Amino acid sequence: IGQVLSNEIDEDMGVIMSRYAGTSSRNVGQFIDGPQSFVGTLSYRPQDWRILKFTLGSLVDGGSPTPFQHIYSETNNGANVVDIAGQSLPSFQIQDAQRTVTGSNFMRTARGAFVDSLTIRASEGEPVTVDVNYVANTVVFASGAASAVTAATTRPYLWSDVRVHIPSGTIYNQVKDFSLEINNNLDVPNYLDGSRTIGLPIPTNRDYTVSLTLNNDDVRTKTLYDQYLTGGSTFNMLVAVVASAGSREGLFTFSGCKLIDMAAPTNAEGVNEQTITIMPQDCRVIENNDVPYLNAGSYGGF
């Protein structure tokens, strides 16, 4: 996944506390096993952008020889992902192993998981972080040997790799904080189907929210306020996260962007800052790295 900071799986057994007339008691009359719910929060420092496959829906691998290129783009509900027929978003599983000795391990695997929301953050002097909120169909417990993994040795992406362009080619050099939230707003059904577990989650309206905190600038501030906020102009935007140009990078392109909020307080001392909120209509990401396939196999590419 990357350099994992934390993973928390919230397992709700949906216990219904039934109280009814005739028990002659103030206590719960019966505990009933209700609908099961499994949601998780994963936080990590990214070494690649593969999580976008599960967030946006489409990943196409291509390019040869190295560096290889990977294109992430949106899918809508009529689409079928290459991995699993009948799904417009790919699902995945996460194994969370708290290991002691084989036979006594505390190991849970969240299966049939979907990304509900994803947040990418970059702040001054810090590694970039990714927070993933996901929902899963089931969680399976085991105490045996954990799956073997090979950790990547590349450094995570850092704040110094991030450049914000509004529009593409116009770099904002005084950005202090950046965040991107992608929300799939999953509708999680629990059908009358003879099961306590959820049905296939349904992606509803997709939302993008970009937030920036930046210092007041005698050129950029006027454009943000006069042209984009009060003027109402839409614009395109590029966020380039580049550890090594052309060989290890993620290029986030946003179109149809609207600046919907701009906080610009005046202070008695210190640097004047603005915090702006941008809502793009569309998002597409190109990643270049040394991995041939980020899909689970060699599917048709470019």
Side-chain angles (χ1 to χ4, degrees), residues 223-240:
T223 300
L224 290 173
Y225 180 80
D226 189 46
Q227 182 175 344
Y228 296 141
L229 181 67
T230 61
S233 298
T234 58
F235 54 93
N236 296 329
M237 180 177 179
L238 168 68
V239 178

Side-chain angles (χ1 to χ4, degrees), residues 77 87-89 112-114 135-137 186-189 191 198-204:
N77 285 359
Q87 292 184 191
S88 62
L89 285 179
F114 290 82
V135 298
N137 177 262
L186 295 179
D187 178 13
V188 184
Y191 297 120
I198 65 171
L200 184 68
I202 303 168
T204 61

